[in-house]
Amino acid sequence: MAYQALYRVYRPKTFSEMVGQEVITKTLQNAIDKKTTGHAYLFAGPRGTGKTSAAKIFAREVNGIGPDQAGSAQPDIIEIDAASNNGVDEIRSIRDSANYAPIEAPFKIYIIDEAHMLSTGAFNALLKTLEEPPAQVKFILATTEIQKMPATILSRTQRFEFKRLSNQTIKNRLEEILKQEDQAYEEPALDVVATAAEGGMRDALSIMDQVIAFGPDLVTVENALTVTGSVDIDQVLSYLHQVLAGKTAEALESLSAILLSGKDANRFLSDLIATLRDVMLVDMAPDLVKAKSKEAELKAFLAATSQAKIQEMLQTIDKVKTALAQSLQSDIYLEILTVQLSQGTAQAAPVAQTPAQAAPTAPQQTASAQTAKQPAPAAAPKQTAETSAPTAEEPAQPMAAAPETTKTPAAQAPQAETAAQAPDPAPAPKTAAPAEPVAEKAPVEEPAAETPAQEQETPAQEQETPDAPAPEPVAEEPVVDEAPAPEPEAPEQAPAPAAEPAQDAAPAATATTQPSASPADNKLTVYTGNEPVQAVLSQAKRDQLNKAQSAWPDIVSDFAVKEQAILQTAEPVAASLDALVLAFDFPAMKDNALKNADLQAELAQVLEEAELPQRLVLRSQDEWKEDRAGYVKALKAGNTVKIALSDLNPAVLPEASTKKAQAAKPAAEEAAQTEDKKDLVQEAKDLFGEDLVQVKEETD
């Protein structure tokens, strides 16, 4: 006799042989015993959980056919594969044959497997027969995707949900089968097979067939890991210990060894997630841990980290796993993941501990000038400690003596203000060495020219300027051309002597006359066409897209109703560090957005406040789908997109209605005067009475 696969040999022949579906088998058995079976059933659930086996057992027992005839053909039990017989003609044939009486058994039973594959017309043709079949006909539909079944079918059937089998259930069944086959095995190997089966008994038996064929003498853990492509949990824990300790080189070597041994990248990520899940649950829910033989190692790993860190690692791995499904460069993604896991904490720590060092300088990011200035008071004591000795020895050097304002306030107060505005304390000693006496040149003017962010201070900070320490007139040449913007805590660090209002007023006036921002800074740069989309996709960042998508509803809500109607039809679909791709549901809305200059100007301001790029690529949804499909096709063909957005010409946009904006000011002023006038008239009427007050228009 030809060899048969294990899952065919050991297919259950009775409800008592089925494992893991006790509720369903008991319900069906009781219905058969009491002769209260329905006319239509729907069995739904994952693959390999016993749907078809239950349907065959039910059909035999309803017709009184014993389990010894399970392998023989039964004329009154008709099995149909809906994947290959999904047309209307096949269903019409079933409908016509259902009118004939059974040949041998009491009932004619139709088992339709993979029922979700039936066409819409086939479902409609089946409806009436399924609702009111002849008395001798029963239907059993089996499917793995119940969400694809029409509601009209669901309402006409009794539905049974088959669940995934637990690892322990699969392991127990494998032990029974291996003992019947007289096959030697190692118990941990069964755990590997059960985990790889993902809840399906048929998958478990198929994998066991492969393991036995690979090593017929003994089913070992090594053979099971090799066949399934899984990674030993000891290797996974060793890898996780290395990335947790920040040993990037060792972790990369472990990863290389795992991949060179033939392990699948997706399976490796699944094993990482499963192991971290066990670590997360080992204290909170020990009964849910799958790797029970490694509980001590899991607890040791948990003691070396925290639940927050484990959840962060799980999220990082899940993101890489999602990206890996769309890429052919699996090894590179795993190496990137290793570096992210091992160096993520180390990269985040300096930003959290020393924000002054990470703050951008004013020429690079003018909008971040106020944020960069906040850590300056914390940095001032460092400058005092580092430069106190030079101040005592060489009081003529102003940069070195900047924090010691109480000793030489006249020569050092301007320098203290400049040091407070520059958040990086490191260059202070270097600047002190070549400094010369202040009397020759006014060196404070040079930092003022180097930090243009001082010219864009907010009005609140400009109002605080007169309270800052002011220089007293001494023998050196006074410095009055700078635009100081001291911190609110500057008076505590450097007590102010008697200040001269004339010197304070000049810098304040200078700072006030500087423009806050150029109108061109708030103007969008808009692109259209396929090439800008390719340029953005080549530099796309998932976190940037998530940020844009989460902020988009708030951005749209800031607009008037008319503009909201346009922007609500758009959504961010791709993003890089310097550009966004917006896809509109309707091409007409995209064209409207291209022509609306006022909308673009306001959108530029809102995007800047949300810290999002002010370069936009506008496409319709259909155009976006074609652009993305072309990009993916090019990547699969091995063609690298080498288009830079800066090399492309933006769309020619209409200029904003400046006349309208200019006219808005006089109109607003006139409206305010009219309102004041109305208020004055109303007060007069309330005071003297409406009869005595007469309002007359003034004439020239």
Side-chain angles (χ1 to χ4, degrees):
M1 183 177 178
Y3 174 79
Q4 280 189 326
L6 290 178
Y7 78 86
R8 295 183 60 189
V9 175
Y10 293 96
R11 180 188 288 273
K13 298 179 177 61
T14 62
F15 283 129
S16 60
E17 293 181 3
M18 289 191 64
V19 295
Q21 310 294 348
E22 289 77 12
V23 175
I24 295 175
T25 56
K26 184 176 181 180
T27 303
L28 294 176
Q29 187 65 60
N30 291 341
I32 293 171
D33 294 341
K34 294 182 179 181
K35 300 185 184 305
T36 57
T37 57
H39 66 276
Y41 293 88
L42 175 62
F43 294 165
R47 66 183 189 278
T49 53
K51 299 183 297 297
T52 306
S53 297
K56 291 181 177 181
I57 295 171
F58 179 82
R60 286 196 303 269
E61 295 202 6
V62 165
N63 284 331
I65 301 173
D68 55 330
Q69 302 182 33
S72 59
Q74 303 296 330
D76 295 323
I77 300 177
I78 302 99
E79 294 186 45
I80 301 172
D81 177 22
S84 55
N85 300 281
N86 58 358
V88 177
D89 294 338
E90 287 81 0
I91 300 301
R92 284 175 179 170
S93 175
I94 294 174
R95 185 186 61 188
D96 295 339
S97 63
N99 294 321
Y100 296 98
I103 298 174
E104 297 176 354
F107 297 99
K108 181 180 287 187
I109 300 178
Y110 292 92
I111 300 175
I112 304 177
D113 204 2
E114 301 298 333
H116 64 273
M117 299 293 288
L118 290 175
S119 63
T120 304
F123 276 124
N124 293 333
L126 183 63
L127 281 179
K128 189 61 178 176
T129 305
L130 190 66
E131 183 177 9
E132 297 178 356
Q136 74 278 6
V137 175
K138 296 183 183 296
F139 287 94
I140 302 176
L141 283 65
T143 179
T144 56
E145 300 184 36
I146 193 172
Q147 72 276 5
K148 294 185 179 180
M149 299 292 293
T152 51
I153 296 293
L154 298 178
S155 64
R156 288 169 168 81
T157 59
Q158 293 186 30
R159 182 168 57 182
F160 291 89
E161 297 280 354
F162 286 69
K163 62 182 181 180
R164 292 184 184 273
L165 306 182
S166 65
N167 283 13
Q168 190 61 41
T169 301
I170 295 175
K171 182 180 176 181
N172 294 339
R173 180 61 174 164
L174 290 176
E175 287 179 346
E176 295 176 6
I177 293 174
L178 290 177
K179 288 177 181 178
Q180 294 183 32
E181 290 288 321
D182 197 18
Q183 174 68 50
Y185 63 90
E186 294 178 357
E187 187 172 347
L190 303 184
D191 291 326
V192 176
V193 174
T195 302
E198 296 180 347
M201 181 58 72
R202 183 173 62 235
D203 290 1
L205 292 174
S206 298
I207 294 171
M208 183 57 67
D209 250 336
Q210 292 178 277
V211 176
I212 293 174
F214 185 76
D217 298 333
L218 179 65
V219 176
T220 63
V221 176
E222 291 76 11
N223 292 347
L225 291 173
T226 302
V227 170
T228 60
S230 302
V231 183
D232 185 12
I233 189 172
D234 291 330
Q235 287 182 292
V236 175
L237 285 173
S238 175
Y239 171 83
L240 290 175
H241 276 294
Q242 290 167 352
V243 297
L244 185 64
K247 299 178 181 178
T248 309
E250 295 181 11
L252 289 172
E253 290 177 2
S254 299
L255 174 64
S256 178
I258 291 172
L259 295 178
L260 289 176
S261 63
K263 306 303 181 184
D264 181 65
N266 281 297
R267 172 61 64 183
F268 173 65
L269 292 179
S270 298
D271 291 340
L272 280 180
I273 293 174
T275 303
L276 287 174
R277 174 225 179 234
D278 285 348
V279 172
M280 182 175 62
L281 300 178
V282 69
D283 277 350
M284 296 186 294
D287 295 338
L288 299 179
V289 175
K290 294 182 179 180
K292 294 187 179 296
S293 61
K294 299 290 182 181
E295 283 193 13
E297 290 84 347
L298 297 176
K299 290 183 178 180
F301 184 80
L302 179 60
T305 181
S306 63
Q307 290 286 356
K309 180 63 178 175
I310 292 173
Q311 294 172 15
E312 179 184 347
M313 294 172 72
L314 282 170
Q315 292 174 358
T316 303
I317 295 172
D318 184 65
K319 290 180 181 178
V320 173
K321 188 174 176 65
T322 303
L324 190 63
Q326 304 175 354
S327 174
L328 301 176
Q329 305 290 338
S330 58
D331 295 0
I332 295 178
Y333 273 92
L334 292 182
E335 290 169 353
I336 293 174
L337 171 65
T338 303
V339 174
Q340 288 179 345
L341 292 178
S342 60
Q343 295 187 353
T345 307
Q347 292 175 354
V351 180
Q353 294 174 1
T354 58
Q357 297 177 358
T361 57
Q364 294 174 347
Q365 296 186 3
T366 305
S368 305
Q370 298 176 4
T371 307
K373 289 168 56 179
Q374 292 176 0
K382 281 190 174 181
Q383 295 180 346
T384 307
E386 293 172 0
T387 60
S388 58
T391 304
E393 296 174 3
E394 302 179 28
Q397 297 179 0
M399 293 301 293
E404 299 290 328
T405 345
T406 55
K407 295 183 180 180
T408 54
Q412 296 164 0
Q415 297 296 339
E417 296 170 357
T418 307
Q421 296 170 358
D424 190 0
K430 297 181 180 179
T431 312
E436 296 297 334
V438 183
E440 299 179 6
K441 297 277 185 176
V444 185
E445 295 179 1
E446 183 177 350
E450 291 176 357
T451 56
Q454 299 170 7
E455 300 175 0
Q456 300 182 5
E457 296 297 323
T458 60
Q461 292 175 335
E462 293 168 4
Q463 293 172 4
E464 296 174 0
T465 304
D467 298 333
E472 291 185 358
V474 291
E476 291 87 3
E477 181 180 350
V479 181
V480 294
D481 293 335
E482 65 173 335
E487 291 296 316
E489 297 181 5
E492 299 178 6
Q493 297 178 0
E500 294 187 10
Q503 294 182 351
D504 286 342
T510 306
T512 307
T513 55
Q514 296 298 332
S516 60
S518 172
D521 295 339
N522 290 334
K523 186 175 182 181
L524 283 181
T525 304
V526 179
Y527 297 84
T528 58
N530 175 269
E531 288 187 345
V533 175
Q534 307 298 321
V536 175
L537 288 176
S538 63
Q539 305 292 330
K541 301 289 184 183
R542 169 56 63 178
D543 54 348
Q544 190 75 358
L545 177 58
N546 294 339
K547 177 181 177 182
Q549 290 176 339
S550 61
W552 187 250
D554 296 333
I555 291 176
V556 174
S557 64
D558 291 341
F559 286 82
V561 176
K562 181 180 179 181
E563 284 75 15
Q564 284 187 21
I566 299 175
L567 296 179
Q568 282 176 351
T569 64
E571 62 173 343
V573 292
S576 63
L577 294 177
D578 57 352
L580 283 176
V581 178
L582 290 183
F584 288 79
D585 294 338
F586 309 104
M589 290 297 184
K590 182 196 73 172
D591 297 338
N592 196 338
L594 279 171
K595 298 175 183 178
N596 195 332
D598 296 331
L599 170 66
Q600 295 164 12
E602 187 175 355
L603 183 58
Q605 296 179 358
V606 178
L607 289 175
E608 183 181 8
E609 294 173 358
E611 298 182 356
L612 291 173
Q614 298 182 44
R615 290 184 177 184
L616 297 182
V617 182
L618 305 186
R619 303 292 280 168
S620 66
Q621 285 287 359
D622 294 338
E623 292 171 340
W624 157 247
K625 291 176 181 178
E626 293 178 1
D627 296 342
R628 187 181 182 279
Y631 178 79
V632 173
K633 184 178 179 181
L635 285 185
K636 290 183 177 179
N639 300 328
T640 305
V641 178
K642 298 182 179 179
I643 302 176
L645 200 61
S646 57
D647 298 336
L648 303 176
N649 295 325
V652 179
L653 304 177
E655 295 184 359
S657 55
T658 54
K659 293 183 179 180
K660 181 179 178 181
Q662 292 174 357
K665 281 188 177 181
E669 294 176 358
E670 182 177 352
Q673 293 175 359
T674 304
E675 188 67 25
D676 294 342
K677 184 176 180 181
K678 290 181 179 179
D679 294 342
L680 184 61
V681 171
Q682 186 62 40
E683 290 179 3
K685 289 181 178 180
D686 295 340
L687 184 62
F688 302 103
E690 295 185 0
D691 298 333
L692 300 178
V693 177
Q694 296 181 359
V695 181
K696 295 182 179 180
E697 297 291 337
E698 296 182 359
T699 57
D700 295 336

